Amino acid sequence: MTYLAEALKKHYIKQTDKIIFKNKKNLNQLALEMWEDLNFSQIDKSVLSKVLYGKRLFTTRQLEVFCNLLNLTTKEKEELTYSLNK
């Protein structure tokens, strides 16, 4: 598991077979919003899932969009950016 995947665990919960993020969106909903904000490219449900399970990393831009959609604080964004770069 990557440092980023560990850090991301603070921002979602697993309910049975679903992942629910802080903004009350599920994996599909958040992936769709990220895809739209990334000009209809770069991410989908499977990419987001792989990032959460440590099999892939976000790009800097993907992480920025993720943080914005979850309305994360500056400190939370900095922690995730640090984890991505570690």
Side-chain angles (χ1 to χ4, degrees):
M1 181 160 291
T2 64
Y3 290 107
L4 179 61
E6 277 298 319
L8 288 170
K9 286 182 178 182
K10 296 181 197 174
H11 305 289
Y12 68 88
I13 58 171
K14 266 191 114 172
Q15 292 181 341
T16 57
D17 61 344
K18 287 188 174 188
I19 293 176
I20 307 296
F21 293 91
K22 280 183 159 183
N23 64 354
K24 309 290 187 220
K25 303 286 183 179
N26 66 33
L27 184 73
N28 291 337
Q29 292 166 327
L30 187 64
L32 179 60
E33 286 185 16
M34 289 182 70
W35 179 73
E36 290 170 348
D37 284 3
L38 291 163
N39 296 318
F40 309 101
S41 65
Q42 299 184 39
I43 199 151
D44 59 22
K45 174 186 160 186
S46 66
V47 171
L48 181 54
S49 179
K50 287 176 184 177
V51 170
L52 296 178
Y53 289 105
K55 297 180 181 187
R56 189 171 177 161
L57 293 174
F58 276 142
T59 64
T60 304
R61 179 72 179 123
Q62 289 169 335
L63 181 59
E64 180 183 322
V65 168
F66 176 87
C67 292
N68 290 340
L69 289 173
L70 267 61
N71 296 314
L72 300 185
T73 66
T74 301
K75 183 177 179 175
E76 290 170 322
K77 290 177 187 179
E78 289 171 354
E79 289 172 358
L80 290 177
T81 300
Y82 176 77
S83 296
L84 175 63
N85 293 319
K86 194 171 180 182

